[in-house]
Amino acid sequence: MRMNIILFIDSLANGGSQRQLVNLAIGLHQRDHCVTVITYTPLNHHLPRLEAAGVSFECLNKRSKFDLRPVIRLYQAIRRLKADSVVAFLRTPALYAELAGLLCRRTRIVVSERAGITDRGLGKEHYLSGLGHSLATVVTGNSHHYLDALAKALPWLKPKCQVIYNSIDEQFFENGKARSQLEQPPSDSVDSAQSSACRLCVVAARPSEEKGLLPLINAVVQLVDRGITDFSVHWIGPVQDTHPLVSKAQSLIEQHSLQGNWHWEGEQSEVARCYPDYQGLVLPSLHEGVANSLCEAMASGLPVIATDIADNALILGDSGCGLLCQPDNASSLADAMQALIQLPQETRTAMGLSAYQRARELFDEKNCLPQWERVLTPALH
């Protein structure tokens, strides 16, 4: 059944939710649905991908924080495009879509929660957005951990809740396939003198407290103090030198002479090309949903070290593809990093193969897109 689908989000900035929405738009378009992506803030990092795939795009240009015209304009777009379904990512776009849906009762309003929660549980903002979801047809999320907490707090939402994990572009799986065929993947960008050291990457859209930047640097300090120096950590993502957290991090790096073990790699336009240069991923987040970098690294055949938050334990399971550590705990993180660094290369390669196979099971578009189609198809509900 061919559907007219609107995918709605604040912008196409360089964020994980934006990347996931673009992946979904391209995947649904390739499955012969009529897809239009609509935003209201003109930040268009991912727009070239949509244009290359032939996906329609509109920007509603919200003028101020409390400008509610995007609700009316979204309603008008629903009518003009004869949309069967609207999928809204993130909290504010979800609210706008839910309000617009009051005027379009035949259109399915599907909201997608991408948030994580702290160990203190749901906050006031989660309850408020959950109340708004009473107006939605379906509430999706990329984390059992979050949706279970939401349904427990607001039981009437439980029948609407549906977990759909992030889908990963095939180019990441091509990395994993290539790595599985080689004992040690070649890399033109890695100096041969460094090839024996274990290179670990962190991929983050921004350096922030919830991304675990400072616990990670303190873990690196502990490793060096233990006499473990044959490794390096590479932070991939935009970094502003004037950001207070980055300044504090840089002070720690200089104070402990970590310049040989820590590298700011900056923003990369083609993240998929980065993963083959590394032997593992570190995900030190304190709280978030299911991270794109976790899914992408596993698909690329990298063993992972991840904090025990959200669905990370469920995703890694007993597959042998990674190690868990406690969030906001530099010693626990250092222990996990030490364990991975000191493994023989062939063991890390075997872990990476397990990660690739687990990612195929959970994050392959061939599995994720049919789940979205079932959610979006009125005839099945």
Side-chain angles (χ1 to χ4, degrees), residues 177-308:
K177 190 183 300 182
R179 184 179 290 267
S180 68
Q181 296 169 355
L182 298 168
E183 183 175 348
Q184 183 160 348
S187 173
D188 295 335
S189 62
V190 180
D191 189 280
S192 59
Q194 299 176 331
S195 60
S196 61
C198 182
R199 292 165 52 89
L200 304 174
C201 65
V202 183
V203 180
R206 64 191 183 281
S208 59
E209 290 187 8
E210 63 265 25
K211 295 296 184 182
L213 172 59
L214 295 184
L216 176 57
I217 292 180
N218 285 321
V220 173
V221 171
Q222 290 191 28
L223 287 173
V224 173
D225 287 345
R226 297 175 189 180
I228 300 168
T229 58
D230 57 340
F231 74 97
S232 56
V233 175
H234 301 254
W235 185 282
I236 299 172
V239 175
Q240 294 180 341
D241 294 339
T242 56
H243 191 289
L245 193 64
V246 174
S247 298
K248 188 173 182 179
Q250 190 59 39
S251 295
L252 285 171
I253 292 167
E254 294 172 0
Q255 177 185 345
H256 295 278
S257 302
L258 301 178
Q259 290 86 346
N261 301 99
W262 184 276
H263 303 275
W264 302 105
E265 299 294 348
E267 186 174 2
Q268 305 295 315
S269 59
E270 296 287 343
V271 177
R273 296 182 180 180
C274 298
Y275 287 110
D277 290 344
Y278 301 99
Q279 284 78 53
L281 173 90
V282 182
L283 183 67
S285 301
L286 309 189
H287 58 87
E288 65 176 321
V290 173
N292 279 325
S293 60
L294 175 69
C295 310
E296 292 167 353
M298 290 175 64
S300 297
L302 294 187
V304 299
I305 296 167
T307 46
D308 189 4

Side-chain angles (χ1 to χ4, degrees), residues 18 166 190 239 319 326:
Q18 287 79 5
N166 300 345
V190 180
V239 175
S319 61
Q326 295 305 306

Side-chain angles (χ1 to χ4, degrees), residues 142-193:
N142 67 351
S143 164
H144 289 275
H145 182 253
Y146 183 86
L147 285 190
D148 287 350
L150 189 65
K152 183 177 180 180
L154 305 171
W156 62 87
L157 288 180
K158 187 172 183 178
K160 297 184 177 186
C161 291
Q162 172 75 48
V163 175
I164 304 177
Y165 277 142
N166 300 345
S167 63
I168 299 303
D169 192 278
E170 186 62 28
Q171 61 184 324
F172 294 97
F173 287 108
E174 290 297 326
N175 288 339
K177 190 183 300 182
R179 184 179 290 267
S180 68
Q181 296 169 355
L182 298 168
E183 183 175 348
Q184 183 160 348
S187 173
D188 295 335
S189 62
V190 180
D191 189 280
S192 59

